[in-house]
Amino acid sequence: MEYHSALRYLYGLVDYEKQRIERYSPEEFRLDRVAEFLAQLGTPQAAYPKIHVAGTKGKGSTAAMLASVAQEANLKVGLYTSPHLHTYRERMRINGEPISRSEMAALVEEIQPVVETIPGLTMFEVTTALAFLYFARQQIDLAVIEVGLGGRLDATNVITPLVSIITSLSLDHTYLLGDTLGEIAGEKAGIIKPGIPVVSAPQRPEAQKVLEQTAGERQAPLTLVGDDWSWTPGSRSLEGQTLMVTHANSPSALDGEYQLPLIGTFQQENAVTAIAALSILQEQGTAWVNRDVVYQGLKKTNWPGRMEVLNHDPLVIVDCAHNPYSVEVLRDSLELWFPEQRWVLIYGASNDKDISGMLKALLPISAHVVVTRSYHPRASTPYMWADQCAALGHGAEIAINPNRALEQACQHLKPGIGILVAGSIFLAADIRELWSKHDPRYLPQGDWEDDPWQV
């Protein structure tokens, strides 16, 4: 099987990333189906220790930080995340390197007969099993596993981790997970396992109450970042930031100053959440966790598309923020890092998002707006976004695609005005690829750039 054939096979399965999910229920998302599938593959997820990460915002960054620290300790580390920026292969990496095309094609060909015996398997469920099998075959030392959607019914929730992590929670996928923070927290809390330690990033009271109750019922020791661990922001620049981290109740071997190459105040919270989880591993007797390894691992973390500076002069920043809360956090960080800066906003989003809520946060810092759509099937028409902007009292220019949006945005650049891209991980990826043609940077080989018969 060739790589493109493997991709087409995966995309031919039920794909809730490209079509709207109508129900989030045990009838649609069956963990017993995933467990049966994995059992027929030899239960590969049991072959290595794991860390499980759920949340609305920050789970990818936190997972990347943990993987970077473990790699710094000379471990062979698997990282499973979704969705991807540029190639499907990014979803399963070992020590930062995506699975190769040939390895992925071979694994898809191997498991295809098993897939055909289990009706209803989704693309994400099969991809999750692929990652677990790939990691087992490569004999990794540790896997960091990011939840795809929710937690309770997510395909990754068949694992028993060393520690579970729940990052910042906010309203997203409300038509599936619930329209209150409490309901969403209940879904995310589904990853909490009996007796397994859990770390929570700072949460609003409604969400924290649910997490505390679930952890108590399952006798899972709960660490609260913000209470049990605190931090003080330090220096900041376009190259990164520093923070001072302290364990609240007693001195910890991981107390001290840390350096992050990622900008944005939200990354401080993610870093402390990762440190809290690593401290638990240290308490469990994990020999590779020490202050120097954690410091160096955080310092080397690479996680593109999150308040990422593509260019300094003029400023060009891309971010994957795609709900009102994450956009508000992005705006606050932009105002802190660039207090005098205004932006030409390139905006596009999927059609199931709270567009008005996001635009209310972004329009006040925008000198001009260009609305467009990414090349993703769930992206909605830019005419809808233009109407939303008009309803909020702000004009918007329409661009038929990301390439044209970038060209139009550049026409409005002047001193004190930069380009900000937000609304969708898919739009962020499109702009990164376009910008790299003018300012070469490392990008993994795309999935279809050498194949005329695209999906």
Side-chain angles (χ1 to χ4, degrees):
M1 180 179 287
E2 297 294 327
Y3 177 65
H4 296 128
S5 299
L7 271 185
R8 289 193 188 90
Y9 178 74
L10 292 173
Y11 282 129
L13 300 169
V14 177
D15 183 359
Y16 290 131
E17 293 181 14
K18 289 191 174 183
Q19 64 190 57
R20 182 183 172 98
I21 310 169
E22 297 302 329
R23 280 196 312 161
Y24 188 70
S25 67
E27 291 74 33
E28 295 288 335
F29 296 85
R30 288 176 43 207
L31 290 186
D32 60 336
R33 177 175 63 206
V34 179
E36 177 189 351
F37 182 34
L38 287 166
Q40 292 198 41
L41 298 179
T43 319
Q45 74 277 15
Y48 40 82
K50 298 157 289 288
I51 299 173
H52 205 191
V53 188
T56 307
K57 178 176 175 55
K59 63 182 187 291
S61 296
T62 303
M65 292 175 184
L66 290 163
S68 182
V69 170
Q71 185 178 342
E72 182 65 24
N74 294 318
L75 269 63
K76 193 172 186 179
V77 188
L79 176 62
Y80 179 57
T81 59
S82 61
H84 57 273
L85 275 169
H86 305 292
T87 167
Y88 206 92
R89 298 178 296 110
E90 293 174 72
R91 297 175 181 232
M92 51 196 88
R93 317 179 203 199
I94 293 179
N95 287 3
E97 289 298 318
I99 184 174
S100 71
R101 287 183 163 206
S102 60
E103 287 172 312
M104 183 167 163
L107 284 177
V108 171
E109 184 173 24
E110 177 183 342
I111 71 169
Q112 184 177 352
V114 182
V115 174
E116 302 303 324
T117 68
I118 304 176
L121 281 170
T122 68
M123 184 197 74
F124 183 76
E125 290 168 350
V126 173
T127 304
T128 300
L130 275 173
F132 290 166
L133 183 60
Y134 174 57
F135 293 159
R137 295 280 176 83
Q138 295 297 314
Q139 298 182 323
I140 63 168
D141 301 308
L142 176 74
V144 183
I145 308 296
E146 180 195 22
V147 166
L149 175 67
R152 178 174 63 98
L153 302 177
D154 190 76
T156 65
N157 203 28
V158 296
I159 65 173
T160 301
L162 299 173
V163 59
S164 304
I165 298 171
I166 299 176
T167 62
S168 178
L169 300 181
S170 56
L171 297 178
D172 197 15
H173 301 292
T174 52
Y175 68 99
L176 295 174
L177 304 181
D179 55 11
T180 70
L181 269 181
E183 290 174 321
I184 288 175
E187 293 294 340
K188 307 292 184 179
I191 73 164
I192 298 175
K193 304 294 192 303
I196 302 296
V198 57
V199 175
S200 171
Q203 309 289 356
R204 281 171 280 186
E206 183 182 356
Q208 182 170 319
K209 180 180 179 181
V210 173
L211 299 184
E212 289 177 340
Q213 179 179 347
T214 305
E217 291 170 350
R218 298 176 187 176
Q219 297 183 325
L222 175 62
T223 297
L224 297 172
V225 173
D227 292 342
D228 300 312
W229 288 84
S230 60
W231 74 95
T232 303
S235 61
R236 59 179 180 269
S237 70
L238 288 179
E239 282 67 48
Q241 58 186 315
T242 62
L243 66 159
M244 182 65 69
V245 179
T246 307
H247 188 254
N249 301 321
S250 59
S252 166
L254 300 187
D255 287 350
E257 185 179 65
Y258 290 89
Q259 183 176 343
L260 296 175
L262 309 175
I263 68 173
T265 53
F266 50 90
Q267 295 295 7
Q268 299 171 17
E269 177 181 301
N270 296 331
V272 181
T273 302
I275 290 169
L278 290 163
S279 177
I280 289 173
L281 297 186
Q282 189 177 53
E283 292 169 2
Q284 293 174 343
T286 303
W288 56 264
V289 179
N290 60 64
R291 173 76 170 71
D292 184 60
V293 161
V294 177
Y295 178 89
Q296 294 296 334
L298 290 178
K299 184 179 178 180
K300 296 175 183 177
T301 302
N302 178 40
W303 197 237
R306 282 71 180 177
M307 200 168 157
E308 180 186 11
V309 179
L310 295 184
N311 196 69
H312 287 195
D313 187 18
L315 272 171
V316 179
I317 291 180
V318 296
D319 193 90
C320 296
H322 59 270
N323 67 41
Y325 176 73
S326 60
V327 165
E328 290 169 6
V329 172
L330 168 64
R331 179 202 60 204
D332 292 345
S333 288
L334 289 169
E335 291 178 338
L336 184 62
W337 253 261
F338 315 104
E340 305 300 324
Q341 190 78 28
R342 298 273 288 169
W343 304 95
V344 178
L345 173 65
I346 299 178
Y347 181 84
S350 298
N351 54 24
D352 57 354
K353 299 301 180 181
D354 182 355
I355 308 305
S356 179
M358 286 191 274
L359 288 174
K360 285 178 181 177
L362 292 172
L363 291 180
I365 63 171
S366 302
H368 189 79
V369 178
V370 180
V371 291
T372 189
R373 62 169 295 162
S374 73
Y375 297 109
H376 193 270
R378 274 187 24 232
S380 193
T381 169
Y383 295 98
M384 291 180 59
W385 313 150
D387 289 344
Q388 290 272 7
C389 290
L392 295 170
H394 201 295
E397 191 177 348
I398 293 173
I400 60 173
N401 57 43
N403 184 37
R404 184 62 185 143
L406 189 56
E407 291 175 355
Q408 292 173 209
C410 287
Q411 294 173 6
H412 296 276
L413 289 173
K414 59 181 68 172
I417 295 181
I419 293 175
L420 170 65
V421 181
S424 161
I425 187 174
F426 311 111
L427 180 60
D430 291 338
I431 298 298
R432 289 187 90 243
E433 291 172 7
L434 290 166
W435 194 263
S436 70
K437 296 178 182 178
H438 307 285
D439 179 16
R441 64 185 58 237
Y442 168 75
L443 292 179
Q445 182 183 12
D447 285 335
W448 307 107
E449 59 194 32
D450 58 345
D451 179 26
W453 303 99
Q454 298 186 20
V455 170

